[in-house]
């Protein structure tokens, strides 16, 4: 399957520093978006560290051997083993960010979202996800959000306390219920998904998806 990839990050019109960080390694089938948080520019440290650690873990010899194993067998068990590797890579990044924040008081409390995609062959990909950055797929004239937001507001929606239509402009819309680096470990959402010819995937931070809400016709 031939890939066409584009990647861009921008500070935008509100902030003076860009706490988002992205990694795009088409040759390795690895794509990551992180959106940092924390004072004194620590958010951008957390997001960059996370991208670098996850990339290190998912391009090392162990991971590459597991990918080759899956490409050879195509079995569900080998795909699940890779899904676990993605989870562990993100947990490893969480631990290293937390350790750095604990060591340097200027970085105390820093954290980040992380949404990563690893393509593994046989038209399969794996998502690893923490926070409110998102993964979408556009397929057959429909757009689907594959990730779930780890936010206080999304928890209110899931519990039926507020309606989905009220979430977009909620005053606590930027409060995360789960982030990477704030604690020494974190629960990671993982998913094995299909890739069909003609699919368009979008990884983005809330700096993008907050602007279009449910209107995704541009994908």
């Amino acid at each position: 399957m031939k890939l066409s990839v584009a990647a861009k990050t921008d500070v935008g019109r509100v902030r003076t520093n860009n706490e988002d960080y992205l990694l795009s390694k088409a040759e390795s089938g690895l794509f990551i978006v992180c959106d940092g948080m924390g004072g004194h520019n620590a958010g951008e440290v957390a997001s960059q560290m996370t991208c670098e650690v996850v990339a290190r873990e998912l391009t090392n010899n162990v991971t590459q051997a597991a990918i080759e194993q899956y490409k050879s067998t195509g079995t569900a068990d080998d795909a699940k083993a890779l899904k676990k590797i993605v989870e562990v890579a993100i947990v490893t990044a969480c631990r290293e960010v937390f350790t750095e924040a604990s060591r340097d008081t200027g970085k105390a409390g820093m954290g980040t979202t992380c949404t990563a995609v690893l393509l593994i062959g046989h038209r399969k990909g794996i998502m690893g996800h923490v926070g409110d950055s998102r993964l979408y797929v556009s397929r057959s004239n429909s757009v689907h959000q594959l990730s779930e937001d780890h936010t206080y507001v999304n928890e209110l929606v899931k519990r039926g306390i507020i309606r989905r239509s009220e979430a977009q402009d909620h005053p606590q819309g930027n409060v995360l219920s789960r982030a990477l680096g704030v604690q020494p470990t974190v629960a990671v959402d993982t998913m094995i998904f299909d890739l069909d010819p003609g699919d368009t995937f979008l990884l983005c931070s809330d700096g993008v998806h907050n602007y279009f809400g449910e209107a995704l016709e541009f994908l």
Side-chain angles (χ1 to χ4, degrees):
M1 183 180 294
K2 184 178 180 180
L3 297 179
S4 177
V5 179
K8 182 176 177 59
T9 184
D10 188 89
V11 69
R13 299 180 179 181
V14 177
R15 297 183 179 179
T16 57
N17 65 308
N18 187 356
E19 294 187 327
D20 290 0
Y21 199 86
L22 64 84
L23 181 143
S24 177
K25 287 182 172 288
E27 69 280 5
S28 302
L30 178 61
F31 309 93
I32 310 170
V33 168
C34 294
D35 180 4
M37 60 185 212
H40 305 290
N41 298 331
E44 61 193 55
V45 175
S47 59
Q48 181 173 350
M49 275 189 67
T50 297
C51 274
E52 291 174 349
V53 173
V54 173
R56 181 193 74 203
E57 297 296 310
L58 295 184
T59 57
N60 64 21
N61 291 337
V62 173
T63 303
Q64 293 308 303
I67 291 174
E68 290 305 315
Q69 170 77 8
Y70 174 70
K71 287 180 177 178
S72 174
T73 66
T75 65
D77 284 345
D78 286 337
K80 289 178 182 177
L82 279 163
K83 185 173 72 166
K84 184 62 177 181
I85 287 173
V86 171
E87 177 185 352
V88 170
I90 294 176
V91 171
T92 298
C94 179
R95 183 176 63 252
E96 294 192 19
V97 171
F98 178 80
T99 299
E100 177 65 17
S102 301
R103 184 191 64 81
D104 185 343
T105 57
K107 300 171 184 172
M110 73 175 179
T112 183
T113 71
C114 178
T115 303
V117 166
L118 179 66
L119 307 183
I120 60 173
H122 295 288
R123 294 185 176 177
K124 298 287 185 182
I126 298 173
M127 177 195 74
H129 169 70
V130 176
D132 67 347
S133 295
R134 291 181 180 177
L135 172 63
Y136 294 96
V137 60
S138 175
R139 176 182 297 162
S140 301
N141 298 318
S142 296
V143 178
H144 307 277
Q145 182 180 335
L146 299 185
S147 59
E148 179 180 347
D149 293 351
H150 300 141
T151 62
Y152 171 70
V153 168
N154 193 47
E155 290 297 323
L156 295 180
V157 173
K158 289 167 62 177
R159 295 176 187 177
I161 297 172
I162 65 171
R163 295 186 298 272
R164 178 67 62 183
S165 59
E166 298 175 277
Q168 182 73 18
D169 299 315
H170 195 280
Q172 294 176 292
N174 63 342
V175 177
L176 295 177
S177 59
R178 199 187 305 179
L180 185 152
V182 179
Q183 299 292 333
T185 190
V186 69
V188 180
D189 289 354
T190 56
M191 173 193 298
I192 300 171
F193 59 87
D194 295 327
L195 293 90
D196 289 346
D199 280 354
T200 298
F201 289 88
L202 172 67
L203 287 84
C204 64
S205 70
D206 65 350
V208 173
H209 68 68
N210 275 349
Y211 283 97
F212 53 72
E214 303 300 321
L216 300 171
E217 292 83 358
F218 68 90
L219 280 175

mmCIF file of all heavy atoms in Angstrom, residues 98-134:
data_model
loop_
_atom_site.group_PDB
_atom_site.id
_atom_site.type_symbol
_atom_site.label_atom_id
_atom_site.label_comp_id
_atom_site.label_asym_id
_atom_site.label_seq_id
_atom_site.Cartn_x
_atom_site.Cartn_y
_atom_site.Cartn_z
ATOM 1 N N PHE A 98 8.079 11.896 33.764
ATOM 2 C CA PHE A 98 7.836 12.104 35.196
ATOM 3 C C PHE A 98 9.150 12.214 35.958
ATOM 4 O O PHE A 98 9.298 13.069 36.853
ATOM 5 C CB PHE A 98 6.997 10.951 35.755
ATOM 6 C CG PHE A 98 6.740 11.047 37.229
ATOM 7 C CD1 PHE A 98 5.740 11.873 37.717
ATOM 8 C CD2 PHE A 98 7.507 10.315 38.130
ATOM 9 C CE1 PHE A 98 5.497 11.969 39.082
ATOM 10 C CE2 PHE A 98 7.273 10.406 39.494
ATOM 11 C CZ PHE A 98 6.276 11.236 39.969
ATOM 12 N N THR A 99 10.111 11.365 35.630
ATOM 13 C CA THR A 99 11.418 11.404 36.292
ATOM 14 C C THR A 99 12.114 12.735 36.045
ATOM 15 O O THR A 99 12.686 13.342 36.964
ATOM 16 C CB THR A 99 12.297 10.249 35.796
ATOM 17 O OG1 THR A 99 11.672 9.005 36.113
ATOM 18 C CG2 THR A 99 13.678 10.294 36.436
ATOM 19 N N GLU A 100 12.056 13.229 34.818
ATOM 20 C CA GLU A 100 12.669 14.515 34.488
ATOM 21 C C GLU A 100 11.975 15.657 35.229
ATOM 22 O O GLU A 100 12.640 16.577 35.736
ATOM 23 C CB GLU A 100 12.614 14.745 32.985
ATOM 24 C CG GLU A 100 13.155 16.090 32.513
ATOM 25 C CD GLU A 100 14.650 16.257 32.763
ATOM 26 O OE1 GLU A 100 15.340 15.240 32.995
ATOM 27 O OE2 GLU A 100 15.128 17.406 32.714
ATOM 28 N N ALA A 101 10.657 15.596 35.311
ATOM 29 C CA ALA A 101 9.906 16.637 36.028
ATOM 30 C C ALA A 101 10.213 16.610 37.518
ATOM 31 O O ALA A 101 10.242 17.656 38.175
ATOM 32 C CB ALA A 101 8.414 16.455 35.797
ATOM 33 N N SER A 102 10.451 15.432 38.072
ATOM 34 C CA SER A 102 10.770 15.307 39.490
ATOM 35 C C SER A 102 12.178 15.792 39.787
ATOM 36 O O SER A 102 12.460 16.288 40.882
ATOM 37 C CB SER A 102 10.627 13.841 39.927
ATOM 38 O OG SER A 102 9.324 13.363 39.701
ATOM 39 N N ARG A 103 13.061 15.665 38.820
ATOM 40 C CA ARG A 103 14.464 16.048 38.997
ATOM 41 C C ARG A 103 14.668 17.556 38.910
ATOM 42 O O ARG A 103 15.521 18.121 39.595
ATOM 43 C CB ARG A 103 15.307 15.347 37.925
ATOM 44 C CG ARG A 103 16.810 15.572 38.027
ATOM 45 C CD ARG A 103 17.522 15.071 36.791
ATOM 46 N NE ARG A 103 17.121 15.818 35.602
ATOM 47 C CZ ARG A 103 17.622 17.006 35.276
ATOM 48 N NH1 ARG A 103 18.514 17.595 36.053
ATOM 49 N NH2 ARG A 103 17.217 17.619 34.176
ATOM 50 N N ASP A 104 13.881 18.217 38.083
ATOM 51 C CA ASP A 104 14.057 19.644 37.804
ATOM 52 C C ASP A 104 12.808 20.397 38.252
ATOM 53 O O ASP A 104 11.735 20.236 37.656
ATOM 54 C CB ASP A 104 14.296 19.832 36.302
ATOM 55 C CG ASP A 104 14.622 21.265 35.916
ATOM 56 O OD1 ASP A 104 14.356 22.179 36.713
ATOM 57 O OD2 ASP A 104 15.125 21.470 34.792
ATOM 58 N N THR A 105 12.926 21.225 39.279
ATOM 59 C CA THR A 105 11.748 21.928 39.804
ATOM 60 C C THR A 105 11.129 22.863 38.768
ATOM 61 O O THR A 105 9.933 23.156 38.827
ATOM 62 C CB THR A 105 12.119 22.741 41.054
ATOM 63 O OG1 THR A 105 13.185 23.659 40.727
ATOM 64 C CG2 THR A 105 12.572 21.826 42.185
ATOM 65 N N GLY A 106 11.932 23.337 37.821
ATOM 66 C CA GLY A 106 11.389 24.198 36.781
ATOM 67 C C GLY A 106 10.456 23.475 35.833
ATOM 68 O O GLY A 106 9.723 24.113 35.080
ATOM 69 N N LYS A 107 10.488 22.146 35.871
ATOM 70 C CA LYS A 107 9.637 21.339 35.003
ATOM 71 C C LYS A 107 8.574 20.577 35.793
ATOM 72 O O LYS A 107 7.888 19.723 35.238
ATOM 73 C CB LYS A 107 10.491 20.348 34.203
ATOM 74 C CG LYS A 107 11.528 21.018 33.316
ATOM 75 C CD LYS A 107 12.482 19.997 32.722
ATOM 76 C CE LYS A 107 13.589 20.673 31.920
ATOM 77 N NZ LYS A 107 14.633 19.722 31.500
ATOM 78 N N ALA A 108 8.425 20.890 37.059
ATOM 79 C CA ALA A 108 7.468 20.182 37.913
ATOM 80 C C ALA A 108 6.059 20.290 37.344
ATOM 81 O O ALA A 108 5.612 21.362 36.948
ATOM 82 C CB ALA A 108 7.500 20.752 39.326
ATOM 83 N N GLY A 109 5.373 19.160 37.292
ATOM 84 C CA GLY A 109 3.997 19.138 36.809
ATOM 85 C C GLY A 109 3.840 19.078 35.309
ATOM 86 O O GLY A 109 2.715 19.076 34.799
ATOM 87 N N MET A 110 4.943 19.013 34.575
ATOM 88 C CA MET A 110 4.805 18.984 33.112
ATOM 89 C C MET A 110 4.215 17.650 32.672
ATOM 90 O O MET A 110 4.354 16.617 33.325
ATOM 91 C CB MET A 110 6.153 19.227 32.427
ATOM 92 C CG MET A 110 7.148 18.092 32.494
ATOM 93 S SD MET A 110 8.635 18.502 31.515
ATOM 94 C CE MET A 110 9.638 17.039 31.798
ATOM 95 N N GLY A 111 3.536 17.704 31.569
ATOM 96 C CA GLY A 111 2.923 16.494 31.006
ATOM 97 C C GLY A 111 2.553 16.733 29.564
ATOM 98 O O GLY A 111 2.803 17.808 29.002
ATOM 99 N N THR A 112 1.937 15.744 28.968
ATOM 100 C CA THR A 112 1.600 15.854 27.555
ATOM 101 C C THR A 112 0.539 14.828 27.173
ATOM 102 O O THR A 112 0.366 13.820 27.857
ATOM 103 C CB THR A 112 2.856 15.642 26.675
ATOM 104 O OG1 THR A 112 2.522 15.829 25.299
ATOM 105 C CG2 THR A 112 3.443 14.248 26.850
ATOM 106 N N THR A 113 -0.158 15.111 26.118
ATOM 107 C CA THR A 113 -0.962 14.094 25.455
ATOM 108 C C THR A 113 -0.039 13.294 24.541
ATOM 109 O O THR A 113 1.086 13.701 24.263
ATOM 110 C CB THR A 113 -2.088 14.707 24.605
ATOM 111 O OG1 THR A 113 -1.510 15.337 23.438
ATOM 112 C CG2 THR A 113 -2.877 15.746 25.387
ATOM 113 N N CYS A 114 -0.503 12.172 24.063
ATOM 114 C CA CYS A 114 0.255 11.408 23.068
ATOM 115 C C CYS A 114 -0.709 10.546 22.268
ATOM 116 O O CYS A 114 -1.457 9.745 22.842
ATOM 117 C CB CYS A 114 1.305 10.522 23.731
ATOM 118 S SG CYS A 114 2.259 9.506 22.555
ATOM 119 N N THR A 115 -0.709 10.733 20.968
ATOM 120 C CA THR A 115 -1.453 9.854 20.071
ATOM 121 C C THR A 115 -0.481 9.361 19.023
ATOM 122 O O THR A 115 0.104 10.154 18.290
ATOM 123 C CB THR A 115 -2.641 10.574 19.414
ATOM 124 O OG1 THR A 115 -3.494 11.105 20.435
ATOM 125 C CG2 THR A 115 -3.449 9.616 18.550
ATOM 126 N N ALA A 116 -0.284 8.055 18.994
ATOM 127 C CA ALA A 116 0.715 7.451 18.109
ATOM 128 C C ALA A 116 0.065 6.387 17.230
ATOM 129 O O ALA A 116 -0.867 5.692 17.644
ATOM 130 C CB ALA A 116 1.838 6.821 18.930
ATOM 131 N N VAL A 117 0.579 6.273 16.010
ATOM 132 C CA VAL A 117 0.147 5.230 15.078
ATOM 133 C C VAL A 117 1.376 4.495 14.580
ATOM 134 O O VAL A 117 2.354 5.125 14.158
ATOM 135 C CB VAL A 117 -0.625 5.828 13.887
ATOM 136 C CG1 VAL A 117 -0.781 4.798 12.762
ATOM 137 C CG2 VAL A 117 -1.994 6.322 14.333
ATOM 138 N N LEU A 118 1.339 3.174 14.641
ATOM 139 C CA LEU A 118 2.396 2.326 14.095
ATOM 140 C C LEU A 118 1.780 1.397 13.061
ATOM 141 O O LEU A 118 0.879 0.613 13.382
ATOM 142 C CB LEU A 118 3.056 1.510 15.207
ATOM 143 C CG LEU A 118 4.166 0.546 14.765
ATOM 144 C CD1 LEU A 118 5.376 1.319 14.220
ATOM 145 C CD2 LEU A 118 4.585 -0.369 15.917
ATOM 146 N N LEU A 119 2.239 1.503 11.809
ATOM 147 C CA LEU A 119 1.773 0.620 10.750
ATOM 148 C C LEU A 119 2.594 -0.666 10.783
ATOM 149 O O LEU A 119 3.828 -0.622 10.819
ATOM 150 C CB LEU A 119 1.901 1.308 9.391
ATOM 151 C CG LEU A 119 1.238 2.690 9.284
ATOM 152 C CD1 LEU A 119 1.372 3.232 7.866
ATOM 153 C CD2 LEU A 119 -0.227 2.641 9.704
ATOM 154 N N ILE A 120 1.920 -1.827 10.767
ATOM 155 C CA ILE A 120 2.618 -3.093 11.017
ATOM 156 C C ILE A 120 2.527 -4.082 9.868
ATOM 157 O O ILE A 120 3.059 -5.199 9.974
ATOM 158 C CB ILE A 120 2.095 -3.748 12.310
ATOM 159 C CG1 ILE A 120 0.595 -4.052 12.212
ATOM 160 C CG2 ILE A 120 2.395 -2.860 13.511
ATOM 161 C CD1 ILE A 120 0.049 -4.848 13.389
ATOM 162 N N GLY A 121 1.881 -3.701 8.774
ATOM 163 C CA GLY A 121 1.747 -4.619 7.652
ATOM 164 C C GLY A 121 0.397 -5.306 7.628
ATOM 165 O O GLY A 121 -0.405 -5.169 8.560
ATOM 166 N N HIS A 122 0.138 -6.038 6.554
ATOM 167 C CA HIS A 122 -1.149 -6.720 6.358
ATOM 168 C C HIS A 122 -2.324 -5.753 6.489
ATOM 169 O O HIS A 122 -3.392 -6.102 7.004
ATOM 170 C CB HIS A 122 -1.313 -7.886 7.332
ATOM 171 C CG HIS A 122 -0.340 -9.004 7.130
ATOM 172 N ND1 HIS A 122 -0.420 -9.864 6.065
ATOM 173 C CD2 HIS A 122 0.761 -9.356 7.841
ATOM 174 C CE1 HIS A 122 0.587 -10.745 6.140
ATOM 175 N NE2 HIS A 122 1.320 -10.449 7.197
ATOM 176 N N ARG A 123 -2.100 -4.512 6.059
ATOM 177 C CA ARG A 123 -3.127 -3.468 6.122
ATOM 178 C C ARG A 123 -3.678 -3.276 7.533
ATOM 179 O O ARG A 123 -4.885 -3.109 7.742
ATOM 180 C CB ARG A 123 -4.259 -3.757 5.130
ATOM 181 C CG ARG A 123 -3.820 -3.681 3.683
ATOM 182 C CD ARG A 123 -4.970 -3.847 2.726
ATOM 183 N NE ARG A 123 -4.527 -3.686 1.339
ATOM 184 C CZ ARG A 123 -5.315 -3.828 0.274
ATOM 185 N NH1 ARG A 123 -6.586 -4.128 0.443
ATOM 186 N NH2 ARG A 123 -4.835 -3.668 -0.932
ATOM 187 N N LYS A 124 -2.771 -3.303 8.501
ATOM 188 C CA LYS A 124 -3.140 -3.085 9.896
ATOM 189 C C LYS A 124 -2.290 -1.969 10.481
ATOM 190 O O LYS A 124 -1.128 -1.771 10.107
ATOM 191 C CB LYS A 124 -2.927 -4.347 10.729
ATOM 192 C CG LYS A 124 -3.754 -5.550 10.311
ATOM 193 C CD LYS A 124 -5.210 -5.388 10.676
ATOM 194 C CE LYS A 124 -5.990 -6.669 10.364
ATOM 195 N NZ LYS A 124 -7.440 -6.526 10.656
ATOM 196 N N GLY A 125 -2.876 -1.240 11.410
ATOM 197 C CA GLY A 125 -2.155 -0.242 12.182
ATOM 198 C C GLY A 125 -2.524 -0.379 13.640
ATOM 199 O O GLY A 125 -3.539 -0.999 13.987
ATOM 200 N N ILE A 126 -1.679 0.183 14.495
ATOM 201 C CA ILE A 126 -1.933 0.170 15.936
ATOM 202 C C ILE A 126 -1.933 1.601 16.441
ATOM 203 O O ILE A 126 -1.029 2.383 16.125
ATOM 204 C CB ILE A 126 -0.873 -0.648 16.683
ATOM 205 C CG1 ILE A 126 -0.908 -2.109 16.231
ATOM 206 C CG2 ILE A 126 -1.088 -0.564 18.203
ATOM 207 C CD1 ILE A 126 0.211 -2.949 16.791
ATOM 208 N N MET A 127 -2.933 1.939 17.223
ATOM 209 C CA MET A 127 -3.004 3.243 17.882
ATOM 210 C C MET A 127 -2.637 3.083 19.348
ATOM 211 O O MET A 127 -3.073 2.143 20.020
ATOM 212 C CB MET A 127 -4.416 3.822 17.792
ATOM 213 C CG MET A 127 -4.587 5.160 18.517
ATOM 214 S SD MET A 127 -6.326 5.627 18.793
ATOM 215 C CE MET A 127 -6.802 4.496 20.113
ATOM 216 N N GLY A 128 -1.819 4.012 19.852
ATOM 217 C CA GLY A 128 -1.602 4.175 21.289
ATOM 218 C C GLY A 128 -2.001 5.592 21.643
ATOM 219 O O GLY A 128 -1.600 6.543 20.964
ATOM 220 N N HIS A 129 -2.778 5.769 22.728
ATOM 221 C CA HIS A 129 -3.401 7.087 22.934
ATOM 222 C C HIS A 129 -3.562 7.416 24.412
ATOM 223 O O HIS A 129 -4.050 6.604 25.195
ATOM 224 C CB HIS A 129 -4.772 7.090 22.247
ATOM 225 C CG HIS A 129 -5.618 8.270 22.585
ATOM 226 N ND1 HIS A 129 -5.349 9.548 22.151
ATOM 227 C CD2 HIS A 129 -6.751 8.370 23.347
ATOM 228 C CE1 HIS A 129 -6.274 10.383 22.603
ATOM 229 N NE2 HIS A 129 -7.121 9.687 23.333
ATOM 230 N N VAL A 130 -3.167 8.652 24.767
ATOM 231 C CA VAL A 130 -3.413 9.229 26.087
ATOM 232 C C VAL A 130 -3.738 10.705 25.887
ATOM 233 O O VAL A 130 -3.001 11.425 25.215
ATOM 234 C CB VAL A 130 -2.182 9.105 27.008
ATOM 235 C CG1 VAL A 130 -2.444 9.804 28.344
ATOM 236 C CG2 VAL A 130 -1.805 7.646 27.237
ATOM 237 N N GLY A 131 -4.826 11.184 26.486
ATOM 238 C CA GLY A 131 -5.129 12.613 26.439
ATOM 239 C C GLY A 131 -6.216 12.975 25.450
ATOM 240 O O GLY A 131 -7.088 12.160 25.140
ATOM 241 N N ASP A 132 -6.152 14.208 24.921
ATOM 242 C CA ASP A 132 -7.216 14.688 24.041
ATOM 243 C C ASP A 132 -6.738 15.066 22.646
ATOM 244 O O ASP A 132 -7.468 15.734 21.905
ATOM 245 C CB ASP A 132 -7.969 15.859 24.666
ATOM 246 C CG ASP A 132 -7.117 17.115 24.811
ATOM 247 O OD1 ASP A 132 -5.870 17.026 24.658
ATOM 248 O OD2 ASP A 132 -7.686 18.191 25.079
ATOM 249 N N SER A 133 -5.518 14.680 22.278
ATOM 250 C CA SER A 133 -5.217 14.703 20.848
ATOM 251 C C SER A 133 -6.035 13.573 20.213
ATOM 252 O O SER A 133 -6.536 12.705 20.917
ATOM 253 C CB SER A 133 -3.717 14.492 20.605
ATOM 254 O OG SER A 133 -2.984 15.591 21.132
ATOM 255 N N ARG A 134 -6.172 13.578 18.897
ATOM 256 C CA ARG A 134 -7.118 12.643 18.284
ATOM 257 C C ARG A 134 -6.566 11.955 17.054
ATOM 258 O O ARG A 134 -5.676 12.469 16.376
ATOM 259 C CB ARG A 134 -8.415 13.369 17.894
ATOM 260 C CG ARG A 134 -9.241 13.836 19.066
ATOM 261 C CD ARG A 134 -10.514 14.521 18.615
ATOM 262 N NE ARG A 134 -11.317 14.987 19.743
ATOM 263 C CZ ARG A 134 -12.448 15.670 19.623
ATOM 264 N NH1 ARG A 134 -12.914 15.977 18.406
ATOM 265 N NH2 ARG A 134 -13.116 16.054 20.695
#
